[in-house]
Amino acid sequence: SLVWGATPGMLFWKNRDRSLHPLNLSWVFGYNSNLAVHSLMDGEDRVLLYVSSHIVVIHDILGNKQYHLQGHTSVISCLCVSEDKRWVATADRGPDALIIVWDSYSGVPVRTIFESHPEDGVCAIAISQDAKYLVTISAGTVQEVCVWRWTWPTEKPMCSTELKPEFGHQDYVIFNPQNPHEFLSNSKTRVIFYLWVRQSQLWDENTAWLLSPQTFKCLVGQFSQSVFHFNNTQALTCTSAGKMVVWDMDNPRTLPEELPAKPHGITATKLVSMQKESLTVLKVLESCVVTGDVKGQVKFYDGQLRLLTTYSHDKVGPIRSISFSTILRDPPGASPDSSQPFLTSWSDSSNSVSLTQNRNLILSTSDATMFHVATDSANFERIMKEAKKAVNAISCHPQEPLVAAGSHCGLLKVWDYKETQYLVSRIFTEAGIQCLSYDPEGYLLAAGFTDGSVYILDAISLQSICDKFQFSQGPVTHISFSHDSKYLATADENHSVTVYRMVLQNGSRSWEHLAGLDSHYKPIRSILFGVHSDSNEPRLLSLGEDRQLVEYDLNSSIKDHLVVTHRDRLEQAAVPLCLAWYPQLGTESFFLTANNCYKMKLYNTMTKMCRKTLLGPIYGSPLEKIQILPRTSSADPQQHYLVYITKDKVGLQILPVDGNPHKSSAFICHPDGASDFATSHDGRYIFTAGGKERTFMKWKVNLHALDAAAFLGGEDLIPFYNLLDGGREGKFFRELEDYFYYVQLCSQGIDTMENRQVSTHIPLEEIPSVMRAIGFYPSEEEIEEMINEVKFSKYADTGEQVTKINLGDFLKLYINHRPALGLSMKTIQQAFQVLGCDNEKGDKVIDTGDFLSLLQCRGEQMTEDELAECLITLLGRRPREGGSEPDTCDPSGAAVLTEEEIPAEITAEVFVADILGLPIAK
């Protein structure tokens, strides 16, 4: 098997260009600096292992290669590595939390444990010295500790126990290297020792120790990490006060067959003051105790905690982890075949003792920096420096293989993504970077900041070409250049759009503020530059969550006065979330929007009329941002693709959009939220920014795989039949056919004796009736959009209106317009939360009078006759107790029915079940 014959480093031999997926993870930039970094190989092959979001990255630093272990769907919360560096165990805190054990030689996941801690996931994990056992601690308020024999094919732990909440949140755990049946864990205030004997028996050896200043008559500080001493009679815990707690344990401690009646004696006997600075990392390596601190110092001590040597550098921040190489180097002065101890000492002319380790170190710091330390020369080499705060901004150069990423820590970095080489960076200390954009010519890079400032930079040197602008009162969320690079527009969190323009001053280009406007009253989702069809002048649009599409007249705008030409409401109930120009696939021009109801809509660019409503990709959350994928030089000029991100996924969609779900594909990119994305100028790569995950990722595009998936999904109506309950042969479709042909009979007259004209079409006016008959209840505006969609579908090409629709087109119309997730009781309850008030029981209710008034005066207003007819239709044909049915032709019957059938107070449940007569899912 791959695992049996695996050797170190062999996973980099794999050819990853043969993937069958439309998107393939190519590179991960940045890492989770809260978790440890491990050295897998050192020497000619310097290989590191670290976590980025939900990905485990094995990174060959010198070879400039990465291999990705992908299996988690949530951000990885903890990891551990076996002593021989072969087995890697990772866990997460997601709703479907996983524990995965990987073979680092082959990259194969050799064991996956499902539902280990289903409620809250895992916050700490450790692997035993013999690599047979795992211990995990859950992340819940009431924590559970489990021991697993991961080599056994069972989903149940060997033993487990619950911890008391007063023990504090245990977030660190480690096995005794000399006894896999013993381990300890610690929180900020407590240390717990455990002994497990056999299946289902796990015991904390002592009441969790809480040390107060009175224990040793001095400040102890918060606990950081704990280890077992190599003498196997003591344990050590380092603290934030620079102290070391020494725990004495009974010796010898033999493993009993049964749990002992009393716990082993464990006592905090000493509190050693190691230094003033806070200790963050504690390790035991052979016969040394190693510490790391907030000053970036690494210190080695002997078994009696006497200082042996120190490694430090003024550029090293607070140490988060220390990892030792597995390769032993020959100490200075040693012959190649001599057997040397771990520490070698000699005296210099001043008779002082210096010691040199024969293993190199990998240090990671809390400010997202990694160092390689050559212990023979105390040389600190910085091998990686990444963003230590959220990465929200990303942009690709329009002509060169360059990508720029900005972070809230002020770090702006530019990479050559073809060679995966870091090129240049700049740190802004005043504020964090929120958005980026290259100009179409590739000379400038504009950056919007969290303090509302805007910088225009040289795209190569990242130096400012003019003074910064400060015209936004809140963080700048969007930034974009016009096609001719003469205008720059921004949007901010205060719902304002600001425009800057390029001017000539003394023969040289410069930039000035033109004007700003509070265009929206809810967050702005998109700003979009285009080109006027009758000229080459730029066109600017903004789209907000207030459902308003605002178009600006840049030519008529003057200093401090931004002119608006049009304001159009795009949605009735849904919220538009993103906007893009649609490719010119016919004679008519469109722009494309996506809303929070999983619908995509095409609007005529001139009239702003909704021309088509289509079912969008459904992958757990609506589309957040969209962009047309640039075409490669070898691509079919008629073939276009759309790139999008949802809350946590990145995807591709084949154009034209038609509601076919097989034309779309998506992959998890950032489980904690994708903040932005960019596409390379040749359309071969997509880059996604992970926000608070502090990473961004490079995805390679494989359009042939997406085309193949769409082809395998079927042609014509086959994909749409599969979206119906029961499919083509199901009961629902048979009912739809019956309604369709019944409408034909009605249109020709039910009682006629003339010959019937059998047709495959029905008049457009009958679309609402059939839609309602099959369970879709559109509003009047939605009905108008559906009819107009069909009526004008061929108008741009033929100049004629369509007056009828066939069954196939009706099926597509139904699937694209119906609610993507079906009827939702939750939606009705939310409406009652807004419109209702609390009754004596605390339920949200609407008074009957208010209910009738709302229907007649708000929204799509109903007349009194229409309301009476609806209520009689819904309720009037139900026999009343002790009487006959009301006269449905008598308006007074509606009033009587209203008084008797509708209660004085209406809840969401009464409205759905008693008035509408719909079943409520339990």
Side-chain angles (χ1 to χ4, degrees), residues 535-553:
S535 67
N536 197 39
E537 293 299 319
R539 184 180 183 186
L540 178 61
L541 307 172
S542 66
L543 177 67
E545 290 185 10
D546 53 8
R547 305 180 179 89
Q548 296 291 318
L549 178 72
V550 182
E551 182 169 0
Y552 307 87
D553 187 346

Side-chain angles (χ1 to χ4, degrees), residues 544-792:
E545 290 185 10
D546 53 8
R547 305 180 179 89
Q548 296 291 318
L549 178 72
V550 182
E551 182 169 0
Y552 307 87
D553 187 346
L554 297 178
N555 282 336
S556 301
S557 298
I558 59 176
K559 183 68 174 176
D560 297 327
H561 180 64
L562 188 59
V563 178
V564 172
T565 59
H566 296 96
R567 287 182 181 270
D568 298 279
R569 180 177 61 84
L570 296 189
E571 298 279 1
Q572 183 181 31
V575 178
L577 299 179
C578 44
L579 174 70
W581 296 109
Y582 200 65
Q584 191 79 31
L585 302 178
T587 56
E588 196 171 1
S589 299
F590 302 105
F591 57 82
L592 177 70
T593 68
N595 63 34
N596 65 335
C597 294
Y598 299 95
K599 301 296 183 181
M600 305 177 80
K601 292 190 174 184
L602 291 176
Y603 293 86
N604 183 283
T605 56
M606 300 306 296
T607 65
K608 312 293 183 11
M609 176 182 176
C610 179
R611 293 287 292 103
K612 231 172 194 183
T613 299
L614 302 145
L615 179 65
I618 302 177
Y619 294 106
S621 59
L623 306 191
E624 297 285 340
K625 294 187 178 183
I626 56 177
Q627 184 179 329
I628 304 301
L629 182 71
R631 293 202 306 268
T632 60
S633 56
S634 60
D636 182 353
Q638 295 302 315
Q639 193 68 49
H640 297 269
Y641 300 85
L642 179 76
V643 186
Y644 60 85
I645 55 172
T646 67
K647 179 182 177 182
D648 60 347
K649 298 177 181 68
V650 59
L652 287 170
Q653 167 82 45
I654 299 176
L655 299 181
V657 181
D658 60 3
N660 182 353
H662 300 291
K663 288 187 175 182
S664 179
S665 181
F667 300 84
I668 296 175
C669 57
H670 302 283
D672 272 359
S675 60
D676 198 4
F677 78 95
T679 58
S680 63
H681 66 91
D682 57 4
R684 297 182 185 275
Y685 297 100
I686 299 171
F687 298 86
T688 58
K692 62 182 180 181
E693 293 176 5
R694 295 165 286 174
T695 63
F696 72 98
M697 298 182 182
K698 170 186 167 187
W699 301 82
K700 189 172 184 180
V701 176
N702 182 2
L703 298 177
H704 296 298
L706 182 60
D707 293 336
F711 176 78
L712 293 174
E715 297 179 340
D716 198 24
L717 291 175
I718 294 177
F720 297 93
Y721 288 138
N722 295 331
L723 295 176
L724 298 177
D725 187 16
R728 174 67 178 82
E729 305 301 325
K731 178 181 178 182
F732 182 86
F733 183 75
R734 291 198 302 270
E735 287 185 355
L736 173 58
E737 284 184 310
D738 291 341
Y739 288 130
F740 198 80
Y741 293 118
Y742 176 72
V743 167
Q744 288 188 23
L745 295 176
C746 291
S747 63
Q748 297 177 23
I750 294 293
D751 299 327
T752 183
M753 298 301 292
E754 299 179 3
N755 291 335
R756 299 285 182 180
Q757 299 295 323
V758 180
S759 172
T760 58
H761 295 75
I762 63 172
L764 295 187
E765 303 82 55
E766 300 296 340
I767 287 178
S769 301
V770 182
M771 289 289 182
R772 289 164 180 153
I774 58 178
F776 170 38
Y777 309 101
S779 66
E780 294 300 320
E781 184 170 314
E782 290 172 326
I783 290 171
E784 183 180 359
E785 289 182 351
M786 283 191 289
I787 292 177
N788 287 338
E789 179 177 322
V790 181
K791 181 186 294 186
F792 298 106

Side-chain angles (χ1 to χ4, degrees), residues 45 55 227 237 296 329 339 380 419 451 618 682 704 756 876:
D45 299 312
I55 307 293
V227 295
T237 299
R329 294 181 291 96
S339 176
F380 283 70
E419 302 296 331
D451 65 351
I618 302 177
D682 57 4
H704 296 298
R756 299 285 182 180

Side-chain angles (χ1 to χ4, degrees), residues 143-216:
Q143 293 184 285
E144 182 184 28
V145 182
C146 296
V147 177
W148 311 81
R149 180 72 181 262
W150 67 267
T151 54
W152 289 0
T154 177
E155 295 297 319
K156 294 184 178 181
M158 297 185 66
C159 49
S160 63
T161 189
E162 284 190 356
L163 303 180
K164 299 176 181 178
E166 56 264 30
F167 289 172
H169 187 77
Q170 302 286 313
D171 56 6
Y172 184 81
V173 64
I174 188 171
F175 274 100
N176 185 345
Q178 302 179 52
N179 181 4
H181 290 263
E182 193 171 21
F183 60 92
L184 64 82
S185 69
N186 71 257
S187 64
K188 299 298 182 186
T189 57
R190 307 272 184 144
V191 178
I192 306 176
F193 295 82
Y194 308 82
L195 176 69
W196 66 276
V197 177
R198 62 183 184 183
Q199 189 168 357
S200 300
Q201 292 185 327
L202 177 62
W203 188 33
D204 51 325
E205 295 192 54
N206 258 332
T207 300
W209 275 92
L210 172 65
L211 301 183
S212 66
Q214 288 73 32
T215 307
F216 293 104

